């Protein structure tokens, strides 16, 4: 097949629009979309620092490479790569290596923050202490906490994540299916600044996962191509399958879910404006409650550990 724009051999067929694109036009297409999205999410006046949550995977590596490219000639705006080490021995160390190498290549600072230091436990320990739980139900809040803490430590004005279109459509459907309209209204990207919380931006939120993968391959971005050993137990997997099926049957569904959500968002936010945040009574982190979710989970781990110790000594 030939590229619809120049006639060169096509590398990708965008099923949802029917367009065939060659390598150069595909890369250009992705870059333009991401740049537009990035610009709509940030207000850069110079002097800002943007932290990028980098797992070493394709999404966050592509985010880092693209932001570095967009900001190449923009003096005064700095990027900092931040990797959260969840403590998953069979998976995370390789991801850290990829993130470190990419940061070195892009000439940006790289920091690592481990759950061992924020939670006090590696995820490999958490799954032993609470074998019944879905690991991501711990890991999600712990990661949000660690990423925010790392972003604050590097004085970041924004923290960018690699969330792609598939992830975004899944999150919207998950919140709808749970009837969690407040959470739906408060999904990123964040438009307001709240004390203690670094606003999250998501430059890839309109790029399908497959296109992120292809972009990374075609532009020579090396990334860690592996899946977390605990991912199969995640609830998100069901929604991944649902979104995949909907898109197969009706190309363009993911874009429609996210664009439809964006049109609804002002209405939802009028009903549920950003909640006033308190400092968690335990750790001082931002929370809508008295105690933050990460502290609640830390308490739960401590209780389970005590119960295990008592059991083993009785
Ligand atoms: S899949 Fe779940 S357990 Fe694994 S890194 Fe992601 S959130 Fe953590
Ligand atoms: Zn072309
Ligand atoms: Zn707390």
């Amino acid at each position: 097949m030939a590229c619809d724009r120049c006639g060169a051999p096509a590398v990708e067929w965008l099923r949802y629009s029917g367009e065939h694109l060659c390598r150069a036009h595909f890369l250009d297409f992705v870059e333009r979309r991401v740049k537009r999205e990035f610009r709509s999410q940030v207000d850069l006046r110079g002097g800002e620092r943007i932290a990028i949550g980098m797992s070493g995977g394709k999404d966050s590596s592509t985010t880092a490479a693209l932001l570095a490219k967009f900001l190449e000639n923009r003096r005064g705006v700095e990027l900092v790569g931040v990797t959260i080490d969840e403590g998953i021995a069979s998976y995370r160390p390789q991801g850290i290596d990829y993130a470190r190498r990419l940061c070195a290549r892009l000439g940006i600072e790289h920091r690592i923050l481990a759950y061992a230091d924020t939670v006090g436990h590696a995820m490999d320990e958490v799954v032993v202490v609470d074998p019944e739980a879905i690991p991501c139900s711990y890991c999600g809040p712990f990661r949000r906490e660690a990423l925010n803490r790392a972003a604050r430590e590097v004085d970041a004005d924004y923290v960018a994540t690699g969330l792609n279109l598939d992830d975004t459509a899944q999150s919207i459907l998950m919140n709808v299916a749970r009837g969690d309209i407040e959470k739906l209204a408060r999904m990123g990207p964040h438009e307001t600044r709240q004390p203690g919380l670094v606003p999250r931006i998501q430059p890839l939120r309109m790029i399908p996962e497959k296109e992120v993968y292809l972009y990374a391959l075609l532009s020579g971005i090396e990334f860690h191509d592996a899946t977390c050993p605990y991912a199969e137990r995640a609830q998100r997997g069901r929604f991944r399958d649902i979104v995949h099926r909907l898109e197969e049957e009706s190309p363009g569904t993911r874009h429609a879910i996210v664009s439809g959500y964006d049109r609804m968002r002002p209405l939802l936010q009028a009903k549920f404006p950003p909640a006033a945040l308190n400092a968690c009574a335990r750790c001082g982190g931002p929370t809508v409650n008295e105690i933050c979710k990460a502290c609640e989970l830390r308490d739960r781990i401590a209780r389970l550990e005590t119960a295990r110790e008592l059991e083993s000594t009785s």
Side-chain angles (χ1 to χ4, degrees):
M1 271 295 181
C3 173
D4 290 329
R5 299 191 189 179
C6 72
V11 295
E12 176 67 337
W13 173 45
L14 310 177
R15 256 185 100 211
Y16 53 86
S17 68
E19 203 174 13
H20 293 88
L21 295 175
C22 68
R23 179 181 180 279
H25 278 117
F26 173 75
L27 295 179
D28 182 62
F29 167 80
V30 171
E31 284 166 19
R32 280 172 193 269
R33 285 210 139 185
V34 178
K35 193 184 257 180
R36 193 169 64 208
E37 195 55 48
F38 175 59
R39 283 206 181 130
S40 75
Q41 295 179 23
V42 293
D43 178 21
L44 298 181
R45 290 150 195 256
E48 288 86 359
R49 276 166 78 78
I50 303 176
I52 308 165
M54 294 178 69
S55 65
K58 66 179 187 318
D59 301 300
S60 55
S61 298
T62 300
T63 304
L66 282 172
L67 294 197
K69 187 168 187 162
F70 299 158
L71 297 169
E72 210 169 30
N73 298 319
R74 214 165 150 154
R75 260 174 280 140
V77 180
E78 269 181 280
L79 295 175
V80 186
V82 168
T83 301
I84 306 304
D85 179 359
E86 301 93 346
I88 304 173
S90 62
Y91 169 68
R92 182 48 68 221
Q94 299 94 311
I96 293 176
D97 281 347
Y98 276 96
R100 187 186 288 129
R101 281 203 300 272
L102 181 59
C103 285
R105 178 160 83 75
L106 299 173
I108 64 177
E109 187 187 336
H110 183 229
R111 300 263 190 116
I112 301 170
L113 186 60
Y115 280 6
D117 297 320
T118 59
V119 179
H121 297 275
M123 272 311 289
D124 284 341
E125 292 164 15
V126 174
V127 297
V128 174
V129 176
D130 194 353
E132 304 296 316
I134 293 172
C136 307
S137 63
Y138 279 97
C139 196
F142 288 156
R143 163 133 13 73
R144 272 195 296 282
E145 176 194 52
L147 195 56
N148 189 56
R149 193 162 132 185
R152 291 185 69 186
E153 280 175 11
V154 300
D155 265 333
D157 299 280
Y158 297 97
V159 57
T161 66
L163 230 77
N164 60 44
L165 178 68
D166 297 58
D167 300 324
T168 310
Q170 288 155 21
S171 299
I172 293 168
L173 288 190
M174 274 168 81
N175 286 327
V176 170
R178 289 178 184 149
D180 197 341
I181 305 305
E182 265 190 76
K183 205 160 170 198
L184 190 66
R186 291 175 187 151
M187 281 175 59
H190 296 148
E191 287 131 11
T192 47
R193 269 172 207 286
Q194 290 187 281
L197 189 67
V198 182
R200 253 176 289 144
I201 59 167
Q202 301 154 348
L204 304 186
R205 76 193 281 275
M206 292 311 275
I207 309 294
E209 180 166 18
K210 185 170 155 254
E211 288 176 29
V212 178
Y213 192 87
L214 187 60
Y215 182 91
L217 287 182
L218 293 176
S219 55
I221 300 168
E222 290 182 2
F223 58 89
H224 184 214
D225 197 1
T227 308
C228 169
Y230 306 129
E232 65 189 54
R233 290 164 65 188
Q235 219 205 2
R236 182 173 279 276
R238 276 174 48 223
F239 286 88
R240 179 169 294 131
D241 294 344
I242 292 168
V243 168
H244 181 76
R245 266 208 317 276
L246 290 172
E247 183 71 26
E248 279 292 300
E249 285 163 20
S250 181
T253 302
R254 290 165 305 183
H255 287 89
I257 292 171
V258 178
S259 318
Y261 166 71
D262 284 350
R263 290 176 63 196
M264 254 186 327
R265 208 166 132 98
L267 303 173
L268 293 168
Q269 287 176 336
K271 178 87 180 143
F272 298 106
L277 295 179
N278 313 310
C280 168
R282 296 272 167 76
C283 71
T287 176
V288 285
N289 302 313
E290 203 190 320
I291 306 282
C292 76
K293 184 79 185 160
C295 281
E296 265 178 33
L297 291 168
R298 273 188 282 268
D299 282 355
R300 183 176 161 80
I301 295 171
R303 278 199 308 277
L304 290 168
E305 274 186 326
T306 311
R308 277 164 67 96
E309 275 161 27
L310 287 175
E311 221 170 82
S312 66
T313 52
S314 63

